[in-house]
Amino acid sequence: MAFSSKTRKKDIQRLANGEELDLLIIGGGITGAGVALQAAAAGMKVGLVEMQDFGGGTSSRSTRLVHGGIRYLKTFDVQVVSDTVKERAVVQHIAPHCTYPDPMILPIYDEPGTTFTMFECKVAMDLYDHLAGINENEHLKQFANYTLTKDEVLKREPQLNADKLVGAGVYLDYQNNDSRLVVENIKAAADKGGIMLSRVKANEILHDEDGTVNGVSAQDMIDGFRFEIKAKVILNAAGPWSDKVKGIDHDLHDAPQMRPTKGVHFVVDQSRLQVPQPTYFGSGTDDGRMIFTIPREGKTYFGTTDTDYKGDYEEPHVEMSDVEYLLGIINKKYPTAHLTIDDIESSWAGLRPLLGAPVSEEDEDEPDAVSGASKAPDASAPSAVSRGSSLTMADDGLITLAGGKLTDYRLMAEGAMDMIQDVLDKRFGEQFTLADSTELRVSGGDFDSNHVDEALEAFAKEGEQHGLSHDDALRIAREFGSNAPQVYALADELEAAPGLSLAETITLRYALDNEMVLTPVDYLLRRTYHVLFMRDSLDGLIDPVIAYMKDYLGWSDADEADYREELQEILDESDLKHLKAEAHAGRETSEPADAVSGASKHE
């Protein structure tokens, strides 16, 4: 089924002409996308509006893990951990090309502020496995946790700092392609009849004569067209923007419930920082944070910070303090790496939709709100805030689903569907049978989730029959799963576009036809990983990709210039262009070396 700029125009017109929805979702991140799929599968007439690209906010800026959060056992968030560790296997089952098991190594150090001792680590891992049902699942038994001695850790990961290292635990977690998980949920919802609209902003919540919500005033962010959307039920699933969406409901006067915090990640070449598998360790700064180093696409990325945030929600920025903080930790844990800001090839910053009282003005001046470091771990620190979720309905009927983690998005959506179904039944006499969402596959997920590698290899062989190399065919299979044959088939219809390989041409064309790609950033950052993990080969793709999109989408020269400028701004931010210039200027004027070398002021 086509899902493109052409279908978008038709869908906007349908809504503008007064077609009423059973459910309108505001927010096209993973939470809204998950609800949209379940609603569409139940036969509801569902629509979704997202003011940016799908997943353009938090849901394309995560640590890219379906992560149970073993450290939350330290703060006794057992229910949160129980839900999320079970959900990892469910998400892998319904989205097997987006999510795959990848055991995590947890080095344990004998140092102040350490999250776990070896004894605590083993107890936590055993509880983790028990909550996840690892030993009861034949397919997952191979991933049961175990411990390593100090020598075994260093043999596996020789760049790790040996000082005060006592051993490590190894336990199951999952890698994930966050932005693709979002779009595959969205595509599946659209395929089942949902109206999924990116770059459409809800400006005001509308009410009927009884004061009950019945729609929104919306605006197409591409051409400025304003229209109204009628809906029986409205769900606010806007993540960090949840309070802002409540603000456009002028009948509400709720106190803010969100405490957004910023998380930053950096990407370096694997030759500069070699890790054999995802690695997770305490920051060593007494701030209660845990740090990830994760191999991917020949690169290693690491993060994350956790700092209270009150800036621009659409484009949170990396600050020099973030660079100093993370490089200081990484260079301490991997002392032979000697990473500097110049080693960082790309970066991203995202907001966590945490529930809790917003940070006060006085707190903004505290060290943890600026640099990511804290004087001491305490219950009010960002890293101590629970990752739980909240589902509420206001007096005027607006439903808000907030908080949570990417890992438990399906479970959160399932809870919301129970409430939505109840409202539609009681208010409108409409009854729906909800689908079993543990078996509701996302687009591209229709293959055996217990034998992913074999299935992807089979897809790749099919791609080779269309003239692709094995590597290109396998890359397409990993990105598109069971939709890969549709991508391969385009090789029989299209020639390689000027400046693009055949594989890149058919990938781009499929994304334009079927994944609502509207801008170069959509394609290069969120439908593929060119910006983040293939930065060293990206520059040669920019002109041919933009040329192809201009022809396909019918852009004017002015449109092309605007989209080219938007892409450049994203690249400059990801490249840390301005921070690197600042660091170089500091070096020339003999500024303290920590802004350049990665040594942390907080050590």
Side-chain angles (χ1 to χ4, degrees):
M1 173 184 169
F3 182 55
S4 68
S5 60
K6 296 175 184 177
T7 63
R8 179 179 182 275
K9 292 177 182 177
K10 294 178 182 178
D11 285 340
I12 287 176
Q13 201 55 54
R14 283 173 58 188
L15 297 179
N17 288 340
E19 185 171 330
E20 187 180 41
L21 302 170
D22 293 315
L23 170 66
L24 174 65
I25 301 164
I26 301 174
I30 190 59
T31 304
V35 176
L37 175 53
Q38 292 187 31
M44 293 181 188
K45 187 177 289 187
V46 58
L48 178 148
V49 293
E50 163 58 50
M51 67 179 180
Q52 303 180 96
D53 182 28
F54 301 119
T58 292
S59 297
S60 61
R61 301 164 187 257
S62 73
T63 306
R64 293 175 163 80
L65 298 173
V66 175
H67 177 52
I70 194 169
R71 76 180 180 89
Y72 303 138
L73 294 177
K74 189 82 170 183
T75 54
F76 303 103
D77 279 345
V78 177
Q79 188 61 56
V80 170
V81 176
S82 178
D83 290 343
T84 54
V85 294
K86 291 182 177 71
E87 279 300 291
R88 299 174 309 174
V90 176
V91 175
Q92 192 274 330
H93 176 62
I94 63 179
H97 62 306
C98 297
T99 306
Y100 56 92
D102 198 7
M104 182 87 66
I105 184 169
L106 177 62
I108 304 298
Y109 286 85
D110 182 12
E111 60 186 4
T114 188
T115 301
F116 293 114
T117 64
M118 282 297 296
F119 174 76
E120 291 170 336
C121 174
K122 182 57 178 172
V123 171
M125 292 193 304
D126 286 345
L127 177 56
Y128 207 60
D129 282 4
H130 175 71
L131 293 172
I134 297 291
N135 294 319
E136 288 76 47
N137 185 306
E138 286 300 320
H139 179 62
L140 295 179
K141 279 184 179 179
Q142 61 182 306
F143 299 115
N145 78 78
Y146 58 94
T147 59
L148 299 173
T149 65
K150 176 178 178 177
D151 289 343
E152 288 170 331
V153 176
L154 294 175
K155 183 176 180 180
R156 183 176 299 193
E157 199 159 342
Q159 274 193 295
L160 267 176
N161 193 339
D163 184 39
K164 298 183 180 180
L165 177 68
V166 294
V170 181
Y171 63 94
L172 178 61
D173 254 325
Y174 293 70
Q175 284 214 39
N176 173 58
N177 185 328
D178 55 3
S179 52
R180 286 218 65 83
L181 184 62
V182 174
V183 79
E184 299 293 25
N185 272 273
I186 291 287
K187 286 162 60 182
D191 191 50
K192 296 180 186 301
I195 297 178
M196 306 287 106
L197 297 172
S198 62
R199 291 185 169 79
V200 170
K201 183 178 182 180
N203 287 324
E204 183 181 358
I205 304 291
L206 304 177
H207 302 78
D208 63 19
E209 60 274 8
D210 296 323
T212 302
V213 295
N214 70 345
V216 303
S217 173
Q219 182 178 3
D220 185 343
M221 301 304 289
I222 292 180
D223 63 12
F225 176 62
R226 294 178 180 271
F227 60 105
E228 291 187 355
I229 303 174
K230 295 297 182 183
K232 295 170 183 171
V233 178
I234 298 178
L235 174 70
N236 171 10
W241 285 264
S242 293
D243 287 337
K244 296 181 183 294
V245 169
K246 288 182 180 180
I248 64 171
D249 182 349
H250 302 307
D251 284 9
L252 288 187
H253 304 284
D254 290 359
Q257 70 171 141
M258 305 306 299
R259 181 183 176 177
T261 67
K262 185 180 74 171
V264 168
H265 297 79
F266 298 132
V267 180
V268 299
D269 193 78
Q270 212 164 64
S271 64
R272 299 292 293 116
L273 182 61
Q274 296 181 0
V275 293
Q277 67 189 93
T279 305
Y280 188 44
F281 50 82
S283 67
T285 63
D286 283 343
D287 63 0
R289 288 296 305 145
M290 297 291 288
I291 304 297
F292 296 92
T293 54
I294 301 173
R296 196 160 195 160
E297 309 286 347
K299 307 294 180 182
T300 300
Y301 68 96
F302 54 89
T304 175
T305 59
D306 197 5
T307 58
D308 284 304
Y309 187 78
K310 299 188 79 173
D312 178 8
Y313 280 24
E314 290 189 37
E315 289 297 337
H317 299 298
V318 176
E319 306 293 341
M320 186 61 81
S321 55
D322 300 318
V323 177
E324 293 173 357
Y325 175 73
L326 284 175
L327 287 184
I329 291 169
I330 293 298
N331 284 324
K332 182 178 179 180
K333 289 298 185 202
Y334 299 90
T336 62
H338 303 298
L339 295 180
T340 75
I341 191 172
D342 291 326
D343 290 308
I344 298 172
E345 296 183 358
S346 55
S347 66
W348 66 91
L351 301 183
R352 299 179 186 86
L354 303 188
L355 298 171
V359 64
S360 68
E361 295 296 329
E362 301 82 52
D363 290 338
E364 284 188 356
D365 294 327
E366 289 298 307
D368 70 300
V370 178
S371 66
S374 176
K375 294 176 181 177
D378 64 76
S380 65
S383 56
V385 179
S386 172
R387 267 52 175 175
S389 62
S390 168
L391 176 65
T392 60
M393 183 164 60
D395 291 341
D396 67 355
L398 178 67
I399 299 174
T400 297
L401 179 60
K405 302 166 75 232
L406 181 146
T407 304
D408 57 1
Y409 85 91
R410 183 209 61 87
L411 194 63
M412 291 170 60
E414 187 176 77
M417 286 301 301
D418 288 337
M419 179 180 286
I420 291 163
Q421 179 190 41
D422 186 60
V423 172
L424 288 171
D425 182 13
K426 290 180 177 177
R427 289 187 185 167
F428 303 97
E430 292 187 356
Q431 297 180 344
F432 297 91
T433 300
L434 302 185
D436 178 2
S437 60
T438 64
E439 296 295 333
L440 187 56
R441 302 292 187 110
V442 306
S443 183
D446 294 319
F447 61 95
D448 187 352
S449 60
N450 288 329
H451 299 90
V452 173
D453 290 341
E454 296 92 327
L456 296 182
E457 282 291 342
F459 287 134
K461 289 180 180 178
E462 182 175 345
E464 291 179 64
Q465 294 172 7
H466 290 271
L468 299 174
S469 70
H470 179 77
D471 287 347
D472 283 341
L474 185 58
R475 177 181 61 80
I476 288 171
R478 286 173 174 163
E479 287 188 350
F480 299 103
S482 58
N483 290 322
Q486 296 180 44
V487 185
Y488 301 146
L490 292 170
D492 301 333
E493 305 172 18
L494 304 174
E495 295 181 354
L500 300 177
S501 67
L502 179 60
E504 196 70 58
T505 300
I506 61 177
T507 299
L508 174 57
R509 180 56 177 267
Y510 175 84
L512 285 164
D513 286 343
N514 300 284
E515 297 195 333
M516 199 60 72
V517 165
L518 302 176
T519 76
V521 175
D522 293 351
Y523 178 71
L524 295 170
L525 178 60
R526 287 179 286 272
R527 304 302 183 272
T528 68
Y529 272 158
H530 284 297
V531 171
L532 298 181
F533 300 117
M534 293 173 269
R535 183 64 184 91
D536 41 10
S537 61
L538 173 59
D539 289 345
L541 294 178
I542 291 174
D543 287 343
V545 165
I546 289 177
Y548 194 96
M549 293 184 67
K550 180 180 182 181
D551 180 66
Y552 181 96
L553 294 167
W555 291 342
S556 66
D557 290 345
D559 292 333
E560 177 189 352
D562 287 343
Y563 289 126
R564 188 179 290 275
E565 180 180 3
E566 177 189 53
L567 175 61
Q568 191 58 56
E569 289 175 354
I570 293 295
L571 290 178
D572 288 348
E573 181 69 24
S574 176
D575 294 347
L576 304 183
K577 179 180 177 180
H578 302 299
L579 294 184
K580 288 176 180 177
E582 178 185 328
H584 295 160
R587 182 185 302 163
E588 291 171 2
T589 57
S590 300
E591 286 287 321
D594 54 85
V596 179
S597 68
S600 174
K601 293 176 180 177
H602 311 296
E603 292 185 42

